[in-house]
Amino acid sequence: MSHSQQPLVSIITPSYNQGRFIRETINSILTQDYANLEHIVVDGGSTDDTLSILQEYAQKDPRFRFISEPDRGQSHALNKGLALARGEIIGWLNSDDTYVPGAILKAVHAFASNPAWGMLHGNCYVINEYGQVSTSYPSEQADSKKLYQSCVICQPSAFIRAHVFRHMGGVDEKLQFCMDYDLWMRIAKFYPIGYLPQYLGNARIHTACKSATKWHSVGVPEVLRSLAKNYSSIPSHWISYVPQYKGMGVLDLLRIYKSFPSNTARITSMNRGMDLWAPPVLRAIVESDPSAPAQMLLVKGKVPGSPVKLPKPFVLTALVNGINVKSFTVDKPTFALEIPLDPNATTLRVDIASSSVGLPSTPQVQQRIAGGYMAEEIIPLSYDEVIVYKAFSRS
């Protein structure tokens, strides 16, 4: 294949304050034995020495260019780079990872020999902060079924046809940890994924990287959410992997979801007491995100052990925007209401009317009428969050 026949390969590198490693990343690209490439670094406004390194390479190699400006995180940076890329093949290399020599040429030849492949990946070393190999990533042939069980693709070894990347709409900007895994799942629904049993990249794990610092707090919730979104279920081994979220403990996981930016539905107002006592008619206003609309309002309630005596069991009736949608008989000290919501509505008024009223016995609220229970948690759930909740609460 002559140089004029070689497809242009665009390598996108999102970057933020990785001056310690980014020179090694850039060198691993520009010293490849494949000439027809461009390297685009999308920097989020680094405050270390990253900018001076980027300027140095931009001046000496016309294949290299960069932008540096505030962004909304790594996923946003990747999509910005995709919009700038001119190549037929896209590589995605983070600013602390590297390619092995010959990786790009091997990917180009493999795509040429397998025109049906939408993307490909190879094996990947795991290196430490000093560039020393510590282990290998457990890579293997990927398809939709295999990706449901595990992420068998290591991102530095992956190359994607540009039209496929764009068909997917880039990466999901709501994800900041497993946007790559989510992308592989989505691609596998439409295109064959090729596998080269050769080492193509090096994934660096160090004390400051997300894989080391945010796996449990951000990574696990995002993986579960992506599995739910793409497969409408969660493999049983993931449930056993995170036992702290079993049963009603899944509420901890759902609270983590709600702490992420730009994430699904929110409660904008409600009349629950500061002490969590629900009034005779508990009202919550839910604002729903059209891109991930609310499907259910989850209410975890408790009937305290020493309230004013109330008829038991009693009934809670849920109305959504004035329409009676479901009634619940409360006959246990703790209970959970699963109230269906209209996913087509952007604003939902949820009223929960209690058939019992009384005066709570606690001194702070002796003069206040209550509905006979405390509403400990009130959480609107999107479709994928419902799947996560049901998978863990019923395990």
Side-chain angles (χ1 to χ4, degrees):
M1 183 184 299
S2 68
H3 177 76
S4 61
Q5 296 174 317
Q6 291 177 333
L8 178 65
V9 177
S10 299
I11 309 300
I12 302 170
T13 295
S15 163
Y16 184 72
N17 284 348
Q18 290 284 4
R20 179 182 178 187
F21 301 115
I22 197 168
R23 185 182 296 277
E24 190 175 348
T25 298
I26 298 170
N27 286 337
S28 79
I29 297 167
L30 299 182
T31 59
Q32 290 279 314
D33 59 350
Y34 187 82
N36 198 23
L37 64 84
E38 63 174 2
H39 184 199
I40 304 168
V41 174
V42 184
D43 182 73
S46 291
T47 56
D48 62 359
D49 60 344
T50 296
L51 190 57
S52 62
I53 295 171
L54 300 181
Q55 291 169 336
E56 173 190 334
Y57 280 94
Q59 292 170 3
K60 69 182 183 182
D61 195 319
R63 300 174 299 170
F64 180 87
R65 55 196 170 110
F66 74 95
I67 58 173
S68 182
E69 60 189 20
D71 56 39
R72 298 190 297 273
Q74 183 182 8
S75 296
H76 182 218
L78 279 163
N79 286 340
K80 287 167 66 176
L82 180 62
L84 295 171
R86 300 174 299 210
E88 298 176 37
I89 297 169
I90 305 293
W92 161 9
L93 195 66
N94 289 335
S95 52
D96 50 0
D97 298 332
T98 59
Y99 286 136
V100 302
I104 295 177
L105 183 60
K106 290 175 182 177
V108 169
H109 284 166
F111 273 130
S113 301
N114 300 275
W117 288 359
M119 69 169 285
L120 64 82
H121 72 107
N123 292 334
C124 202
Y125 294 112
V126 177
I127 61 175
N128 62 21
E129 57 188 316
Y130 305 108
Q132 300 165 328
V133 174
S134 56
T135 187
S136 295
Y137 189 88
S139 301
E140 56 182 280
Q141 176 69 56
D143 57 24
S144 188
K145 183 177 180 180
K146 183 69 70 174
L147 287 167
Y148 175 65
Q149 297 296 331
S150 177
C151 183
V152 296
I153 301 174
C154 193
Q155 173 256 307
S157 74
F159 293 86
I160 310 164
R161 294 191 192 274
H163 72 88
V164 171
F165 211 150
R166 294 189 173 100
H167 176 204
M168 296 299 107
V171 295
D172 185 345
E173 293 184 14
K174 289 185 178 180
L175 301 174
Q176 291 301 320
F177 193 100
C178 76
M179 71 290 284
D180 51 352
Y181 189 16
D182 173 75
L183 179 63
W184 316 149
M185 296 180 203
R186 291 188 284 128
I187 289 175
K189 294 178 182 179
F190 296 94
Y191 302 95
I193 297 176
Y195 171 60
L196 302 181
Q198 306 170 55
Y199 284 91
L200 302 181
N202 300 298
R204 193 187 305 269
I205 302 296
H206 53 95
T207 54
C209 73
K210 288 191 296 185
S211 297
T213 62
K214 296 185 178 180
W215 170 240
H216 289 287
S217 63
V218 179
V220 170
E222 285 196 358
V223 167
L224 296 175
R225 187 171 197 166
S226 296
L227 286 164
K229 179 183 71 173
N230 289 294
Y231 293 98
S232 297
S233 67
I234 297 170
S236 58
H237 67 85
W238 271 105
I239 298 173
S240 61
Y241 176 75
V242 282
Q244 66 269 35
Y245 297 133
K246 280 189 175 182
M248 291 309 293
V250 73
L251 294 176
D252 294 332
L253 180 62
L254 296 174
R255 278 193 291 269
I256 291 173
Y257 283 160
K258 297 305 179 185
S259 71
F260 296 159
S262 304
N263 236 6
T264 69
R266 304 284 185 201
I267 292 178
T268 57
S269 67
M270 63 177 166
N271 63 349
R272 179 183 64 176
M274 294 293 292
D275 52 10
L276 306 184
W277 277 93
V281 178
L282 172 64
R283 171 168 291 181
I285 305 299
V286 178
E287 296 295 333
S288 186
D289 181 348
S291 67
Q295 300 272 339
M296 175 196 292
L297 185 68
L298 175 64
V299 179
K300 181 187 176 186
K302 179 176 73 173
V303 179
S306 57
V308 169
K309 290 185 179 297
L310 297 170
K312 294 184 180 180
F314 62 93
V315 177
L316 297 176
T317 301
L319 299 91
V320 178
N321 289 341
I323 300 173
N324 187 330
V325 295
K326 197 169 184 178
S327 292
F328 307 85
T329 298
V330 177
D331 55 6
K332 296 180 181 179
T334 62
F335 59 92
L337 311 183
E338 300 175 5
I339 302 171
L341 300 178
D342 179 2
N344 296 312
T346 56
T347 301
L348 301 119
R349 186 186 74 249
V350 182
D351 294 314
I352 304 172
S354 174
S355 65
S356 297
V357 296
L359 292 174
S361 61
T362 52
Q364 310 93 295
V365 289
Q366 275 186 331
Q367 304 307 311
R368 185 159 57 78
I369 297 293
Y373 67 100
M374 299 177 75
E376 296 182 308
E377 300 282 355
I378 305 176
I379 308 176
L381 305 180
S382 65
Y383 173 78
D384 47 287
E385 289 167 342
V386 169
I387 293 169
V388 172
Y389 163 69
K390 290 185 174 180
F392 282 84
S393 60
R394 295 174 182 175
S395 61

